[in-house]
Structures are given as C-alpha cells and as structure tokens.
Amino acid sequence: MDGANRHDKMLVKETLDGIIIERPSPDNVIQNICMDKGYDYPDIDELVEEYGYTTHIRRRGEEKIEKKIPGHKARRWVVERTHSWMNRFRRLLIRWEKKIENYLAMLHFACAWITFRAAGLFG
C-alpha cells in the first residue's frame, strides 16, 4: 500500500506478492490478468510472466473499437458504481467502528443489501 501520488507501475510486484488466495497451478489453469495502458512497459510484462500470468494490456496508441452487440448492456464502470453504492452507507463511508469484526459485518450487510436491491427483491 502506498500513497495516491505513486504510479501504479511501481506497485505491481507488491500487489502480486500480496495476493492471499491460493492460485491453482499454472499447468492446470491459465491465469489471466487485465491491466490498462498505465502498465504498458516491458518490465511489467516480464514481471507478470514470472508470476505465471497471461497479460491482457491495452497498449498505448491503440484505439478502442466500439462493438455493440444488440441486447447487451455495456459493462463499464462496474467497480466505480459499486463503490458509489457502498458510499451510500454512511457507516461504511465514515468508519466509526473500532473493531474490524464490526466493520466487516457492516460491509457484508451492505453487500447483501445491494445484491438484494439489484435483484429486485425489495421492490
């Protein structure tokens, strides 16, 4: 973890080292990693390959080709939208809990509430 003024490129190794979920063997399953143009550097490509990932990086200078499929909605800004929904829970936005267990419980409750609301169960 570092400040917001540090380039993402500098944090790739620390991020990959910080993954706590056990990955399947690269021999059995292809591991993919998607990154934006900010990671388009040869040393990042080498580092990610060392960790056994297949990289998907939009290269600088590439233009995005818009492909619209009838009946499918665009899936852009999913993370930002979800963070916006989480910020509507004031208890999460302003963390008053001192115990991590209480904060984590509220986080789970907020995720469940958002999921039920998106599913249309609460009207």
Side-chain angles (χ1 to χ4, degrees):
M1 221 155 146
D2 211 343
N5 60 347
R6 187 136 184 234
H7 195 279
D8 293 339
K9 172 188 184 269
M10 303 298 175
L11 302 172
V12 173
K13 181 167 178 39
E14 294 165 8
T15 302
L16 293 175
D17 287 338
I19 295 174
I20 57 174
I21 298 171
E22 188 175 325
R23 293 177 42 213
S25 171
D27 300 331
N28 300 337
V29 178
I30 296 174
Q31 297 289 306
N32 297 298
I33 188 165
C34 299
M35 301 173 151
D36 60 11
K37 294 181 204 176
Y39 298 97
D40 186 19
Y41 296 95
D43 56 334
I44 297 298
D45 287 332
E46 293 171 10
L47 177 68
V48 171
E49 281 184 31
E50 287 176 18
Y51 279 83
Y53 287 101
T54 302
T55 58
H56 301 279
I57 301 175
R58 181 170 300 279
R59 303 298 174 191
R60 284 175 279 170
E62 272 186 18
E63 291 297 322
K64 183 177 177 185
I65 300 171
E66 291 290 331
K67 293 182 180 178
K68 291 192 176 186
I69 302 171
H72 286 71
K73 292 183 179 179
R75 294 174 50 180
R76 298 175 59 201
W77 311 113
V78 175
V79 174
E80 288 82 1
R81 177 199 63 198
T82 306
H83 286 162
S84 171
W85 288 345
M86 298 283 247
N87 288 340
R88 292 181 189 161
F89 292 85
R90 186 177 173 99
R91 196 168 186 167
L92 293 177
L93 186 63
I94 302 170
R95 184 175 170 184
W96 291 313
E97 285 84 10
K98 294 184 180 182
K99 293 184 179 179
I100 188 70
E101 295 86 8
N102 295 344
Y103 179 76
L104 197 57
M106 185 58 195
L107 183 64
H108 285 252
F109 176 75
C111 290
W113 187 268
I114 289 169
T115 303
F116 284 130
R117 190 171 50 206
L121 297 176
F122 292 132

